[in-house]
Short mmCIF file of all heavy atoms in Angstrom, two decimals:
data_model
loop_
_atom_site.label_atom_id
_atom_site.label_comp_id
_atom_site.label_asym_id
_atom_site.label_seq_id
_atom_site.Cartn_x
_atom_site.Cartn_y
_atom_site.Cartn_z
N VAL A 330 28.54 -20.88 -59.18
CA VAL A 330 27.57 -20.18 -60.01
C VAL A 330 26.20 -20.79 -59.76
O VAL A 330 26.00 -21.98 -60.01
CB VAL A 330 27.95 -20.28 -61.50
CG1 VAL A 330 26.92 -19.54 -62.35
CG2 VAL A 330 29.32 -19.72 -61.74
N ALA A 331 25.27 -20.00 -59.27
CA ALA A 331 23.92 -20.48 -58.97
C ALA A 331 22.93 -19.86 -59.94
O ALA A 331 22.98 -18.67 -60.22
CB ALA A 331 23.54 -20.14 -57.53
N CYS A 332 22.05 -20.67 -60.46
CA CYS A 332 21.03 -20.17 -61.38
C CYS A 332 20.06 -19.29 -60.60
O CYS A 332 19.49 -19.71 -59.59
CB CYS A 332 20.28 -21.34 -62.02
SG CYS A 332 18.90 -20.80 -63.08
N PRO A 333 19.82 -18.03 -61.04
CA PRO A 333 18.93 -17.14 -60.31
C PRO A 333 17.45 -17.53 -60.43
O PRO A 333 16.62 -17.01 -59.68
CB PRO A 333 19.19 -15.78 -60.95
CG PRO A 333 19.65 -16.10 -62.34
CD PRO A 333 20.41 -17.39 -62.23
N ILE A 334 17.11 -18.44 -61.36
CA ILE A 334 15.72 -18.84 -61.55
C ILE A 334 15.40 -20.11 -60.77
O ILE A 334 14.47 -20.15 -59.96
CB ILE A 334 15.42 -19.03 -63.05
CG1 ILE A 334 15.64 -17.72 -63.80
CG2 ILE A 334 14.00 -19.54 -63.26
CD1 ILE A 334 15.44 -17.83 -65.29
N LEU A 335 16.18 -21.15 -61.01
CA LEU A 335 15.92 -22.43 -60.34
C LEU A 335 16.59 -22.53 -58.97
O LEU A 335 16.33 -23.48 -58.22
CB LEU A 335 16.41 -23.58 -61.23
CG LEU A 335 15.78 -23.69 -62.61
CD1 LEU A 335 16.36 -24.87 -63.37
CD2 LEU A 335 14.27 -23.81 -62.50
N ARG A 336 17.47 -21.58 -58.66
CA ARG A 336 18.18 -21.60 -57.38
C ARG A 336 18.99 -22.86 -57.21
O ARG A 336 19.07 -23.43 -56.12
CB ARG A 336 17.20 -21.44 -56.19
CG ARG A 336 16.31 -20.21 -56.26
CD ARG A 336 17.10 -18.94 -56.12
NE ARG A 336 16.26 -17.75 -56.16
CZ ARG A 336 16.70 -16.51 -56.06
NH1 ARG A 336 18.00 -16.31 -55.92
NH2 ARG A 336 15.89 -15.49 -56.11
N GLN A 337 19.58 -23.30 -58.31
CA GLN A 337 20.40 -24.50 -58.28
C GLN A 337 21.83 -24.16 -58.70
O GLN A 337 22.03 -23.22 -59.49
CB GLN A 337 19.84 -25.58 -59.21
CG GLN A 337 18.48 -26.11 -58.81
CD GLN A 337 17.94 -27.11 -59.81
OE1 GLN A 337 18.53 -27.29 -60.88
NE2 GLN A 337 16.83 -27.75 -59.48
N ALA A 338 22.78 -24.92 -58.18
CA ALA A 338 24.17 -24.71 -58.56
C ALA A 338 24.40 -25.21 -59.97
O ALA A 338 23.92 -26.28 -60.35
CB ALA A 338 25.11 -25.43 -57.59
N CYS A 339 25.11 -24.42 -60.76
CA CYS A 339 25.46 -24.83 -62.11
C CYS A 339 26.73 -25.67 -62.08
O CYS A 339 27.60 -25.47 -61.23
CB CYS A 339 25.69 -23.61 -63.01
SG CYS A 339 24.24 -22.56 -63.21
N SER A 340 26.83 -26.60 -63.01
CA SER A 340 28.02 -27.45 -63.12
C SER A 340 28.49 -27.45 -64.56
O SER A 340 27.68 -27.33 -65.49
CB SER A 340 27.73 -28.88 -62.65
OG SER A 340 26.75 -29.48 -63.47
N ASN A 344 24.93 -29.14 -65.98
CA ASN A 344 24.02 -27.99 -66.02
C ASN A 344 24.84 -26.70 -66.10
O ASN A 344 24.89 -25.93 -65.14
CB ASN A 344 23.11 -27.99 -64.79
CG ASN A 344 22.04 -26.93 -64.86
OD1 ASN A 344 21.64 -26.50 -65.95
ND2 ASN A 344 21.57 -26.48 -63.70
N PRO A 345 25.49 -26.44 -67.23
CA PRO A 345 26.39 -25.29 -67.33
C PRO A 345 25.63 -23.97 -67.37
O PRO A 345 24.46 -23.92 -67.79
CB PRO A 345 27.13 -25.53 -68.64
CG PRO A 345 26.16 -26.33 -69.46
CD PRO A 345 25.43 -27.20 -68.48
N PRO A 346 26.27 -22.88 -66.96
CA PRO A 346 25.63 -21.56 -67.08
C PRO A 346 25.60 -21.11 -68.54
O PRO A 346 26.54 -21.35 -69.29
CB PRO A 346 26.54 -20.65 -66.23
CG PRO A 346 27.87 -21.33 -66.24
CD PRO A 346 27.59 -22.80 -66.31
N MET A 347 24.51 -20.45 -68.92
CA MET A 347 24.32 -20.00 -70.30
C MET A 347 24.10 -18.50 -70.32
O MET A 347 23.30 -17.96 -69.54
CB MET A 347 23.10 -20.70 -70.94
CG MET A 347 23.16 -22.23 -70.89
SD MET A 347 24.46 -22.92 -71.91
CE MET A 347 23.86 -22.52 -73.55
N ARG A 348 24.82 -17.83 -71.20
CA ARG A 348 24.66 -16.38 -71.35
C ARG A 348 23.62 -16.12 -72.44
O ARG A 348 23.78 -16.55 -73.58
CB ARG A 348 25.98 -15.72 -71.73
CG ARG A 348 25.88 -14.21 -71.92
CD ARG A 348 27.19 -13.64 -72.45
NE ARG A 348 27.12 -12.20 -72.60
CZ ARG A 348 26.63 -11.57 -73.67
NH1 ARG A 348 26.14 -12.28 -74.68
NH2 ARG A 348 26.63 -10.26 -73.73
N LEU A 349 22.55 -15.41 -72.08
CA LEU A 349 21.50 -15.09 -73.04
C LEU A 349 21.94 -13.96 -73.95
O LEU A 349 22.94 -13.27 -73.69
CB LEU A 349 20.22 -14.72 -72.30
CG LEU A 349 19.67 -15.77 -71.32
CD1 LEU A 349 18.37 -15.28 -70.70
CD2 LEU A 349 19.45 -17.11 -72.02
N VAL A 354 22.53 -14.25 -67.28
CA VAL A 354 23.04 -15.62 -67.20
C VAL A 354 22.08 -16.48 -66.39
O VAL A 354 21.70 -16.11 -65.27
CB VAL A 354 24.44 -15.65 -66.55
CG1 VAL A 354 24.95 -17.08 -66.41
CG2 VAL A 354 25.42 -14.82 -67.38
N ILE A 355 21.68 -17.61 -66.97
CA ILE A 355 20.85 -18.59 -66.28
C ILE A 355 21.42 -19.98 -66.56
O ILE A 355 22.34 -20.13 -67.38
CB ILE A 355 19.37 -18.51 -66.73
CG1 ILE A 355 19.26 -18.82 -68.22
CG2 ILE A 355 18.78 -17.14 -66.40
CD1 ILE A 355 17.83 -18.86 -68.73
N SER A 356 20.90 -20.99 -65.90
CA SER A 356 21.37 -22.35 -66.13
C SER A 356 20.73 -22.94 -67.39
O SER A 356 19.69 -22.45 -67.87
CB SER A 356 21.07 -23.24 -64.93
OG SER A 356 19.66 -23.39 -64.78
N ARG A 357 21.35 -23.99 -67.92
CA ARG A 357 20.80 -24.62 -69.11
C ARG A 357 19.47 -25.29 -68.82
O ARG A 357 18.56 -25.31 -69.68
CB ARG A 357 21.79 -25.64 -69.67
CG ARG A 357 21.36 -26.20 -71.03
CD ARG A 357 22.46 -27.00 -71.68
NE ARG A 357 22.80 -28.18 -70.88
CZ ARG A 357 23.77 -29.04 -71.21
NH1 ARG A 357 24.49 -28.82 -72.30
NH2 ARG A 357 24.03 -30.08 -70.44
N ASP A 358 19.30 -25.83 -67.61
CA ASP A 358 18.01 -26.43 -67.25
C ASP A 358 16.90 -25.39 -67.28
O ASP A 358 15.78 -25.66 -67.77
CB ASP A 358 18.09 -27.07 -65.87
CG ASP A 358 18.95 -28.33 -65.87
OD1 ASP A 358 19.27 -28.82 -66.98
OD2 ASP A 358 19.29 -28.82 -64.78
N ALA A 359 17.20 -24.18 -66.76
CA ALA A 359 16.20 -23.11 -66.78
C ALA A 359 15.89 -22.69 -68.21
O ALA A 359 14.73 -22.42 -68.57
CB ALA A 359 16.69 -21.91 -65.97
N LEU A 360 16.92 -22.66 -69.06
CA LEU A 360 16.71 -22.30 -70.46
C LEU A 360 15.83 -23.33 -71.17
O LEU A 360 14.96 -22.98 -71.97
CB LEU A 360 18.07 -22.18 -71.17
CG LEU A 360 18.06 -21.78 -72.64
CD1 LEU A 360 17.43 -20.41 -72.82
CD2 LEU A 360 19.48 -21.79 -73.21
N MET A 361 16.04 -24.61 -70.86
CA MET A 361 15.23 -25.67 -71.47
C MET A 361 13.77 -25.55 -71.05
O MET A 361 12.84 -25.77 -71.85
CB MET A 361 15.79 -27.03 -71.07
CG MET A 361 17.17 -27.32 -71.64
SD MET A 361 17.17 -27.50 -73.43
CE MET A 361 16.30 -29.06 -73.59
N LYS A 362 13.53 -25.19 -69.77
CA LYS A 362 12.14 -25.05 -69.31
C LYS A 362 11.47 -23.84 -69.94
O LYS A 362 10.26 -23.86 -70.22
CB LYS A 362 12.12 -24.94 -67.80
CG LYS A 362 12.50 -26.24 -67.08
CD LYS A 362 12.35 -26.12 -65.58
CE LYS A 362 12.66 -27.46 -64.90
NZ LYS A 362 12.48 -27.39 -63.43
N LEU A 363 12.24 -22.77 -70.18
CA LEU A 363 11.66 -21.57 -70.78
C LEU A 363 11.28 -21.81 -72.24
O LEU A 363 10.29 -21.25 -72.74
CB LEU A 363 12.65 -20.41 -70.70
CG LEU A 363 12.86 -19.79 -69.31
CD1 LEU A 363 14.00 -18.77 -69.36
CD2 LEU A 363 11.59 -19.10 -68.83
#
Side-chain angles (χ1 to χ4, degrees):
V330 180
C332 176
I334 298 177
L335 300 181
R336 305 293 181 180
Q337 295 177 352
C339 298
S340 63
N344 187 25
M347 305 293 292
R348 179 186 181 275
L349 303 181
V354 178
I355 62 176
S356 66
R357 188 169 63 182
D358 289 348
L360 181 62
M361 294 293 290
K362 290 185 177 182
L363 288 173

